[in-house]
Amino acid sequence: MGEVIFHVFLIIVMGLFFKDSFAITSGRSADPIGPAGFPQTLLIIIIVLLLISLFKAIRKLKSGEGKGEPLNLNFAYFGLLLGIIVFIILNDLISFTLATIVFTFFLFWMLGQKRYVRMFVQSILVAVVFTLVFGKVLSVPLPRGMGILKELTYFLY
Amino acid sequence: MDFQLLLDGLLTTISPVNLLLVFAGMLIGVFFGSLPGISSSMGIVLMLPFTYYMGILPSIILLVALYAGSSYGGSITAILFNTPGTPESVATTFDGYPMTKQGKAGRALSLAISASAFGGVFSVLIMLFLAPPLSTIALKIQSAEYFALTVLGLIVIASIGTKSPLKAISSGLIGIMIALIGMDPMVGVDRFTFGHIELMNGLEMIPIMIGAFALAEVLNQVTERHNQINVDKKVSLETVKLIDMIKYKWVLLKSAVIGTVIGILPGTGGSIASIVSYGEAIRSSKNKERFGQGEEEGVVAPETANNAAAGGAMIPTLVLGIPGSPTTAIILAALALQGLQPGPQLMSDQPLMLYCIFFSMLIASVTVFIGGRIGVKAFAAILKLPYSILGTLIVLLSMVGSYAVGNSMFNVWIMFLFGIIGYFMKKYHFSPAALILGLVLGPMMEENLRRQLLVTNGDYLSFITRPISAVILLFAIVALFYPVIAKAVKNRKNSNGDVSSNM
């Protein structure tokens, strides 16, 4: 069933793109296909191919072959996704280094580590190494957070 | 060839300071190349400030060695973590990562090193001897030929998506669609931005690539509870003997030629070269079904080609002043920073430079081969880490790598989104690799199609009336119908066999 839903999702997204393609303003009159021509042709082909593939998936489902292996979207799966969302938000609030410590500790725990002191030390180590390599050596302007934390990051990167 | 200049070039390159720069450049290149999101072009940009005071030859020596090193570096994470460090190493993941899963990480890395070295040495030799004549051929390649090349590349997608060509082609076309988001390259109107200003410049390829490959793989691991997939017992640190490589001589040679030729074409580069040579390796193999399952040729072909493309791309850069790849465009900018005027007169202004570049790339390739072989055990030992650490490091690298591309959290969200999409694509046998290829080929395909039609007043036949374009398109058609023809021939053979056995 998941395969059918994924096909439908892709067809809807491509359909939205196709609808939006009519809003593209036309280019120069000399341009034979214009800025909308190529994507529109492409979208028609994609939708046709996806419909054929959807038809096959439905047929497979009806014949009982389509069940396949279960998705098993477990706690770790949703935990990881949620962790990433929180990490992205934390970066702008408490700086990259602190957000990385929290995120790394969380991931270690979620992926099966149980020794909390070691996890904590490793999290700090990973955060410092990443900060120094990317922030200092490679001069990537890592997020600095807000307020006093922002000022403190200038000592590190 | 001027042998006096060749000797001078050698002596200049092996002077202690320059030799040190070659080694340093190679090591930095391997390091940058292995970090997802830090491409060779970004590595060179980051090194540019250090070259300001170096002088022309030392700075160019450092940068080209870095370029050569990064071509190999990208394959390390591609093989070990299914995370291509550079777009050039996407094709290496197809068979490199399955080899790692089978406990052959050491062998896959060794094959990559040997193939990289061969590709690198081959292309610099071509660069030295054939630079001027090859560049004149490249001048004949115009929009119709570029379009034909992208069509060929797209059809190769069908061979990558082993389980379902239909889904693989759909994935590739979706990739092209994603590449079209942003400003139209010909007339500058915005397309598919849905009113978001962040989408005006289009979507960066690296976050999509990292998401679809690296994050999707971590999600796959956590759902399949393969937390101990890379346990010690499965890691075989077997190295490849030189004699083993002789087995792959034809794959090496073909891929080196493909890589060099595609590298020479301005605007293309290692990513297209590696995909095309991978497709060619499948096409010419007797064991097509083994590709994607950890076939050694599947590592040898793209690694040879992407390193050969690095040397090939230097040819139009130096001889014509037209960069053969995004990275060589930055090298060209570095030359301009040194006060040189890129263009056909560059070779007459700086006659020694070609030879210094030749020797520095040659030494870097040989160093990668020797140093890399020693380092294989160290690289493969990373796999001994428990997945709780490895998975965490991959996710962190993916996030920082995506952020570093444009110093924007928007790219991290994109990586996140494509991580989820990539996971489901993999689950339902769509092809994330084809999606990436579509992203690479998309802009080039559209631009050249429209430019050709513009130049010829909408004459679609012009794609088949130009000989080079016609030949490439013919190859594409043969590649498209090859599976059908092969199946028909096989069925016919089987039915003949049945008939004869019945008799």
Side-chain angles (χ1 to χ4, degrees):
Chain A
M1 192 63 194
E3 189 174 358
V4 173
I5 296 171
F6 188 60
H7 272 92
V8 172
F9 165 77
L10 289 177
I11 291 169
I12 291 172
V13 174
M14 291 301 122
L16 287 173
F17 271 81
F18 190 66
K19 183 175 172 276
D20 195 65
S21 71
F22 291 101
I24 299 169
T25 47
S26 57
R28 286 175 288 181
S29 57
D31 188 352
I33 56 172
F38 182 72
Q40 277 174 347
T41 313
L42 206 64
L43 281 163
I44 292 169
I45 300 171
I46 295 172
I47 292 170
V48 169
L49 290 178
L50 285 174
L51 283 171
I52 298 170
S53 186
L54 173 67
F55 177 71
K56 279 185 169 180
I58 292 171
R59 212 169 51 178
K60 211 166 71 177
L61 189 74
K62 280 185 177 168
S63 68
E65 284 173 54
K67 286 179 182 170
E69 50 179 308
L71 270 180
N72 191 20
L73 300 180
N74 53 14
F75 166 72
Y77 177 86
F78 289 108
L80 179 59
L81 294 182
L82 189 72
I84 292 174
I85 294 172
V86 174
F87 177 66
I88 297 173
I89 297 166
L90 281 182
N91 260 287
D92 287 330
L93 297 176
I94 62 169
S95 81
F96 172 79
T97 314
L98 288 180
T100 305
I101 294 174
V102 176
F103 183 60
T104 310
F105 188 86
F106 172 71
L107 281 191
F108 281 158
W109 170 74
M110 210 185 57
L111 293 175
Q113 284 207 40
K114 292 283 176 272
R115 291 152 84 177
Y116 294 105
V117 177
R118 205 168 103 176
M119 280 157 62
F120 184 65
V121 174
Q122 282 175 342
S123 304
I124 295 175
L125 197 71
V126 167
V128 170
V129 169
F130 267 75
T131 306
L132 292 179
V133 169
F134 285 92
K136 201 89 178 165
V137 180
L138 299 175
S139 304
V140 175
L142 298 169
R144 295 182 181 278
M146 289 159 60
I148 183 84
L149 289 171
K150 185 176 182 176
E151 302 306 319
L152 285 172
T153 58
Y154 284 100
F155 291 105
L156 204 54
Y157 55 94
Chain B
M1 189 198 300
D2 190 331
F3 285 97
Q4 185 55 47
L5 274 174
L6 187 73
L7 186 67
D8 288 348
L10 176 65
L11 292 174
T12 310
T13 313
I14 59 167
S15 71
V17 175
N18 288 345
L19 201 59
L20 203 67
L21 285 173
V22 173
F23 292 141
M26 186 277 295
L27 281 174
I28 297 166
V30 171
F31 177 67
F32 280 147
S34 66
L35 293 178
I38 309 286
S39 58
S40 53
S41 35
M42 189 168 168
I44 289 177
V45 168
L46 290 169
M47 289 310 291
L48 272 182
F50 298 99
T51 64
Y52 288 161
Y53 309 103
M54 276 184 186
I56 295 167
L57 289 177
S59 60
I60 201 76
I61 283 172
L62 175 77
L63 296 180
V64 295
L66 195 156
Y67 184 30
S70 68
S71 299
Y72 165 64
S75 67
I76 298 173
T77 41
I79 290 169
L80 294 184
F81 310 128
N82 203 25
T83 309
T86 54
E88 289 89 336
S89 49
V90 169
T92 312
T93 61
F94 304 157
D95 283 281
Y97 187 63
M99 281 185 78
T100 298
K101 279 181 148 177
Q102 292 160 15
K104 296 178 189 165
R107 188 166 175 84
L109 284 168
S110 292
L111 282 170
I113 290 165
S114 308
S116 297
F118 181 82
V121 172
F122 180 89
S123 68
V124 289
L125 285 171
I126 295 290
M127 179 172 85
L128 185 73
F129 294 106
L130 297 176
L134 280 176
S135 299
T136 53
I137 295 172
L139 273 181
K140 290 182 183 162
I141 302 284
Q142 291 173 8
S143 299
E145 286 77 19
Y146 278 121
F147 174 74
L149 267 176
T150 56
V151 172
L152 180 65
L154 192 69
I155 287 169
V156 167
I157 290 172
S159 24
I160 299 168
T162 46
K163 286 207 170 173
S164 167
L166 186 70
K167 286 178 181 171
I169 291 180
S170 304
S171 309
L173 296 177
I174 291 171
I176 297 177
M177 254 326 291
I178 295 166
L180 300 182
I181 294 173
M183 296 286 273
D184 170 67
M186 307 273 286
V187 289
V189 295
D190 63 325
R191 298 188 294 186
F192 311 112
T193 57
F194 300 95
H196 289 275
I197 201 153
E198 293 95 337
L199 294 175
M200 292 285 269
N201 281 333
L203 293 177
E204 288 282 355
M205 197 170 70
I206 301 276
I208 297 176
M209 197 173 78
I210 293 176
F213 280 88
L215 185 61
E217 180 56 32
V218 176
L219 288 170
N220 192 40
Q221 294 281 340
V222 297
T223 53
E224 289 188 4
R225 296 170 193 270
H226 287 174
N227 291 358
Q228 294 299 318
I229 188 164
N230 296 316
V231 290
D232 296 4
K233 283 176 196 167
K234 289 187 178 177
V235 180
S236 154
L237 298 178
E238 181 192 351
T239 49
V240 178
K241 288 176 187 152
L242 267 178
I243 199 136
D244 288 348
M245 295 306 287
I246 295 171
K247 200 164 71 175
Y248 301 119
K249 56 184 182 294
W250 294 116
V251 177
L252 282 165
L253 199 65
K254 264 192 300 184
S255 306
V257 172
I258 291 171
T260 310
V261 171
I262 292 183
I264 289 169
L265 301 178
T268 54
S271 43
I272 295 171
S274 58
I275 297 274
V276 171
S277 67
Y278 183 82
E280 170 54 29
I282 296 176
R283 194 201 59 76
S284 57
S285 172
K286 285 176 188 162
N287 307 308
K288 293 181 177 58
E289 69 288 347
R290 294 213 309 237
F291 280 82
Q293 318 280 325
E295 171 64 31
E296 294 188 352
E297 283 185 21
V299 174
V300 172
E303 275 307 302
T304 310
N306 67 27
N307 282 270
M314 290 302 293
I315 296 172
T317 311
L318 294 170
V319 181
L320 300 170
I322 303 168
S325 69
T327 315
T328 48
I330 296 165
I331 292 179
L332 211 60
L335 291 175
L337 275 173
Q338 295 286 344
L340 297 175
Q341 180 66 46
Q345 76 287 357
L346 186 68
M347 299 308 299
S348 51
D349 290 348
Q350 293 286 328
L352 197 57
M353 201 170 67
L354 173 71
Y355 299 98
C356 286
I357 288 173
F358 163 72
F359 283 114
S360 50
M361 286 188 91
L362 190 69
I363 293 169
S365 296
V366 174
T367 317
V368 161
F369 182 66
I370 298 166
R373 285 171 80 86
I374 298 163
V376 155
K377 293 191 178 190
F379 289 135
I382 298 170
L383 288 178
K384 291 184 177 181
L385 290 168
Y387 198 74
S388 58
I389 294 180
L390 205 59
T392 305
L393 291 178
I394 295 172
V395 174
L396 270 176
L397 264 179
S398 303
M399 300 189 67
V400 183
S402 306
Y403 175 82
V405 174
N407 302 327
S408 149
M409 276 296 168
F410 178 72
N411 285 335
V412 184
W413 286 113
I414 294 296
M415 186 276 298
F416 177 74
L417 177 69
F418 278 90
I420 300 171
I421 293 174
Y423 170 76
F424 286 109
M425 285 183 88
K426 200 173 169 184
K427 278 283 165 201
Y428 299 127
H429 310 301
F430 280 81
S431 169
L435 181 95
I436 301 301
L437 182 61
L439 272 171
V440 176
L441 295 179
M444 199 165 121
M445 181 183 253
E446 189 200 14
E447 266 183 69
N448 287 296
L449 170 74
R450 285 170 65 189
R451 193 174 296 139
Q452 179 67 15
L453 290 175
L454 202 65
V455 169
T456 57
N457 289 323
D459 180 12
Y460 287 89
L461 283 177
S462 63
F463 290 100
I464 49 171
T465 50
R466 291 176 63 85
I468 301 175
S469 162
V471 170
I472 300 170
L473 285 173
L474 191 69
F475 272 119
I477 292 166
V478 170
L480 182 67
F481 291 106
Y482 180 77
V484 182
I485 298 165
K487 201 175 173 183
V489 170
K490 200 177 170 186
N491 287 344
R492 200 171 169 179
K493 268 186 186 172
N494 286 344
S495 62
N496 281 349
D498 290 344
V499 169
S500 54
S501 63
N502 289 337
M503 285 168 76

